[in-house]
Amino acid sequence: MSLPNTSRRHFLVTAGAAAATAGWSFGQEPAQAAAARYHRLNLQNPAAAPFLESYKKAITIMLQLPPSDARNWYRNAFIHTLDCPHGNWWFVVWHRGFTGWFERTVRELSGDANFAFPYWDWTALPQLPDSFFNGVLDPNNPAFIASYNEFFAQLSNPMSALWNSFSPAQLQQMRNRGFRSINDVWQAVRDSPMFFPRGRARTLTRQNPGFDATTRRAVSIGTIRNALAPTDFISFGSGKTANHSGSATQGILESQPHNNVHNNIGGFMQDLLSPTDPVFFAHHSNIDRLWDVWTRKQQRLGLPTLPTGADLPPWANEPFLFFMGPDGKPVAKNKAGDYATIGDFNYDYEPGSGETVIPAATRPGDMNNKVWLGTLGASALNLGASARAEVMVPQAVPEAAMKEDGPAVFAKITIEPMADTKGVEFHVLVNAPEGAKQVDLDSPSFAGTFSTFGARLGGHENQPLSFLMPLTEAVQKLREANELKPDQPLRVQVVAERKGVNLTPLEAKVSEISVGTF
Amino acid sequence: MLLALPRDRAADEQVAVRITVGTLAKGARIVVKTAEGEVVGAVAPFGVLPGRKAGSFMVPVPLAAMKDGKVTLQLEVEEPAQVGKPRAPTKTEVEAANLELMPVSGTPE
């Protein structure tokens, strides 16, 4: 490991931030906005009752829309049939997008500007809520299509027209699911079966709404704590596959409460037309809430919240091509990475079961000798690009660093072997202003500069180089300038610069950026 | 079935059984119990695409059920048409069951 040869020179920050693939360098952003506009309440909260009335109003409208309208109730359910991931690492993120866009549609059609889906905390209430047997919240209601034959008659032509409008990319998604034609879709709907006639749209009834003992175990607080306990995204959110129609290992969240609730309710809820049952969105709001709980737990512990390293780009770039907006038109945000955080959906959750897994902020004394690995958003270093990572560091660290006896904070930067390091300096920035093209030496964001010294001998030419860059002063200055926001990651950036005239192209790759204390 | 951990459990790891399911009748589920009959979870496949196997499912195993790195689990298939008549799964239904260790935050249960 080379010692930093710190020097302070005026330098330019390149606009090479663009090298970070737009939309997936978010890494560790907090799941919730600092002050959300919409609030997803617990269904059992009396304040949620007006939202259920708005939901019923919107459902009534959507049941009456012609099936040629993408906002028709059953057309919305078909989005799930055609595209939903189950048993893979896109499970939580796709359902966040699906539920989020549908929430906007309900908000629009109901005229309730504050509408947000109430969530069903089945850990606290292990039975189908009584409100979901009222009016159109119950798929057995006469407003719903009564038979498969009538369903096929109404939806067949519109679904064929939809299929014929698919782009090549959308048709590829269909092939990934084994659907080579719209007939394959209808065969699956008919044979599974996915449609249930009036009177059998659910198994649970108002007289018998409770989960059986096995399902109660699946939603119990012990199982939920197990589901929230994993420290990496894949173990939490189900396994890696090549595309979101593939099947890998289902994590505990999907395998236990998600699946068992779907199947115990029965009827539409037990297969891929499940959004036909209005309770689907209350169920999936709770799944999404638990993902948010897990994310905030990870953030508090300084652990990754998303797939890391080389796993992040393929996860974030997976196409989601079938979401529809409140205007009935395809949405522009069509990648998984667009839904990695709650972001523009701008909602938060009333606390519910599982919240206690988020540890309290640790004391300053606990901050010594820790390391937090950053999520690399861009790793290439050249004269046109900088490497950057977001590192989720507990809020207590900058607080502790302000104390005279607090921990020293450093960044560890590892660079892959370079052909020629002569004259190269590496400048390290922390939380540089977004879009800035120049950072002054006395900026709070400027942490320092390191460079290599001497020739690399003894067989070390092909080994990565790691540098420790002190960050304590930068962290202190940023905190004094109120530039460190709670629950937001440190943005560490490495900018390369070459002195003198050198005809060798400057190219380097950063393989790790982490932040530690000692 | 008697299952063993692949190695000694670390203090910050929890135990789960990965159950790999081939084909299971629609609406059926595989209930996982300890030797004493305590239900620890259930595999209830959802959203299985036509022509595909059901996949693999993680079911948490309480540490209290473990002894010397081993646990005896019972797997029972419950089918809608055979209420009250659980049975052992066939090899087509349960292709494999293996204990796994997962790093976790907090105290493993």
Side-chain angles (χ1 to χ4, degrees):
Chain A
M1 180 182 294
S2 297
L3 294 174
N5 176 23
T6 56
S7 64
R8 298 172 75 86
R9 292 177 64 241
H10 187 73
F11 67 97
L12 294 175
V13 175
T14 70
T21 303
W24 60 263
S25 61
F26 41 74
Q28 314 272 18
E29 288 177 11
Q32 295 189 356
R37 167 71 177 83
Y38 306 105
H39 309 289
R40 292 187 178 180
L41 303 177
N42 188 318
L43 258 180
Q44 293 183 276
N45 185 338
F51 290 146
L52 290 179
E53 291 305 309
S54 297
Y55 189 23
K56 288 161 72 176
K57 185 177 175 184
I59 295 170
T60 302
I61 291 170
M62 284 186 269
L63 284 169
Q64 294 170 351
L65 284 173
S68 55
D69 189 319
R71 298 165 301 173
N72 166 273
W73 182 256
Y74 294 95
R75 284 286 305 277
N76 180 67
F78 261 116
I79 295 173
H80 188 261
T81 310
L82 295 177
D83 198 41
C84 64
H86 291 93
N88 62 62
W89 59 342
W90 287 287
F91 165 65
V92 286
V93 67
W94 188 95
H95 284 87
R96 170 169 286 173
F98 180 53
T99 303
W101 282 112
F102 187 61
E103 183 175 71
R104 286 190 176 184
T105 299
V106 172
R107 191 176 297 142
E108 173 80 16
L109 294 180
S110 68
D112 181 349
N114 296 318
F115 177 80
F117 276 120
Y119 68 87
W120 173 17
D121 184 349
W122 7 254
T123 303
L125 184 69
Q127 64 180 61
L128 199 56
D130 191 72
S131 51
F132 276 84
F133 292 103
N134 295 335
V136 291
L137 292 178
D138 183 346
N140 286 306
N141 185 277
F144 289 79
I145 295 176
S147 69
Y148 174 78
N149 288 344
E150 184 185 347
F151 178 67
F152 182 79
Q154 287 194 28
L155 275 294
S156 177
N157 285 344
M159 289 300 294
S160 292
L162 175 66
W163 184 277
N164 292 337
S165 75
F166 282 164
S167 66
Q170 289 176 309
L171 289 172
Q172 179 59 53
Q173 293 300 315
M174 293 299 95
R175 285 193 292 274
N176 290 345
R177 291 173 90 73
F179 297 148
R180 295 157 301 168
S181 70
I182 189 62
N183 293 334
D184 287 342
V185 177
W186 281 114
Q187 182 173 352
V189 170
R190 186 184 63 239
D191 294 349
S192 293
M194 296 186 193
F195 183 91
F196 290 82
R198 188 174 299 154
R200 291 200 284 129
R202 287 184 185 147
T203 300
L204 295 182
T205 64
R206 195 194 288 268
Q207 294 71 33
N208 182 30
F211 291 154
D212 58 38
T214 298
T215 305
R216 284 202 302 273
R217 176 65 190 230
V219 302
S220 68
I221 190 60
T223 301
I224 300 307
R225 282 199 296 264
N226 285 134
L228 295 172
T231 53
D232 70 277
F233 182 84
I234 292 171
S235 298
F236 164 74
S238 297
K240 286 170 57 173
T241 53
N243 63 67
H244 67 273
S245 289
S247 176
T249 299
Q250 297 197 8
I252 295 170
L253 179 70
E254 183 177 8
S255 162
Q256 296 309 294
H258 171 263
N259 286 6
N260 281 283
V261 168
H262 263 284
N263 287 350
N264 200 189
I265 293 174
F268 283 103
M269 277 291 278
Q270 65 185 4
D271 214 310
L272 296 183
L273 264 180
S274 40
T276 301
D277 188 330
V279 82
F280 174 96
F281 293 97
H283 172 50
H284 268 279
S285 290
N286 200 39
I287 295 290
D288 185 76
R289 180 186 68 81
L290 289 170
W291 180 24
D292 180 60
V293 170
W294 182 83
T295 299
R296 287 185 286 118
K297 176 210 76 168
Q298 294 288 99
Q299 288 173 334
R300 182 59 59 86
L301 295 173
L303 296 171
T305 58
L306 293 172
T308 58
D311 280 342
L312 185 56
W315 180 86
N317 289 325
E318 178 69 4
F320 293 164
L321 303 178
F322 298 91
F323 292 152
M324 290 290 181
D327 56 1
K329 294 183 169 47
V331 304
K333 292 186 177 181
N334 55 13
K335 291 187 178 179
D338 293 324
Y339 305 101
T341 65
I342 292 173
D344 291 346
F345 288 138
N346 205 1
Y347 58 79
D348 61 13
Y349 285 101
E350 176 183 3
S353 298
E355 192 80 17
T356 54
V357 304
I358 302 172
T362 51
R363 296 160 300 160
D366 298 336
M367 289 296 104
N368 292 75
N369 301 315
K370 305 285 185 190
V371 175
W372 296 274
L373 183 64
T375 299
L376 280 172
S379 59
L381 275 179
N382 54 52
L383 291 179
S386 61
R388 54 175 52 196
E390 296 187 343
V391 188
M392 199 65 215
V393 173
Q395 183 181 342
V397 171
E399 291 172 359
M402 301 300 288
K403 297 181 186 297
E404 200 171 305
D405 60 348
V409 187
F410 65 88
K412 176 186 170 187
I413 294 146
T414 299
I415 300 177
E416 294 299 301
M418 288 173 60
D420 182 6
T421 61
K422 189 175 180 182
V424 179
E425 291 186 332
F426 301 92
H427 309 292
V428 180
L429 309 176
V430 182
N431 286 23
E434 294 281 9
K437 296 188 176 160
Q438 182 171 309
V439 174
D440 293 331
L441 303 178
D442 56 0
S443 165
S445 295
F446 179 75
T449 302
F450 62 86
S451 57
T452 59
F453 175 79
R456 305 185 73 191
L457 303 172
H460 295 289
E461 300 87 347
N462 296 320
Q463 293 186 359
L465 292 175
S466 290
F467 303 85
L468 296 187
M469 171 57 63
L471 291 190
T472 307
E473 188 179 339
V475 167
Q476 289 172 341
K477 287 182 177 178
L478 286 167
R479 195 168 187 281
E480 284 169 352
N482 201 30
E483 290 295 325
L484 295 182
K485 305 301 179 188
D487 294 328
Q488 291 203 9
L490 290 182
R491 293 178 285 109
V492 182
Q493 190 173 355
V494 182
V495 183
E497 186 179 12
R498 172 166 262 157
K499 293 187 292 185
V501 179
N502 191 312
L503 299 181
T504 306
L506 192 168
E507 288 194 11
K509 183 177 178 188
V510 170
S511 57
E512 178 186 323
I513 296 177
S514 55
V515 172
T517 60
F518 47 9
Chain B
M1 57 175 60
L2 180 64
L3 300 174
L5 289 173
R7 54 169 172 79
D8 290 341
R9 185 184 70 87
D12 64 348
E13 292 179 322
Q14 75 181 15
V15 180
V17 57
R18 180 201 300 258
I19 298 175
T20 301
V21 178
T23 306
L24 197 63
K26 185 68 181 280
R29 65 184 176 188
I30 301 165
V31 182
V32 183
K33 299 179 177 178
T34 63
E36 292 75 25
E38 177 193 357
V39 173
V40 298
V43 173
F46 174 82
V48 182
L49 291 169
R52 300 191 186 185
K53 293 185 178 182
S56 295
F57 305 80
M58 296 297 272
V59 180
V61 176
L63 293 182
M66 303 292 301
K67 186 176 180 184
D68 299 327
K70 298 186 177 78
V71 64
T72 296
L73 295 177
Q74 303 176 60
L75 273 56
E76 293 181 350
V77 174
E78 294 181 350
E79 296 173 291
Q82 302 289 332
V83 176
K85 298 178 183 177
R87 59 169 175 81
T90 66
K91 290 182 180 176
T92 305
E93 292 169 332
V94 174
E95 296 181 342
N98 301 97
L99 289 185
E100 297 198 359
L101 293 163
M102 275 191 297
V104 295
S105 57
T107 304
E109 299 184 17

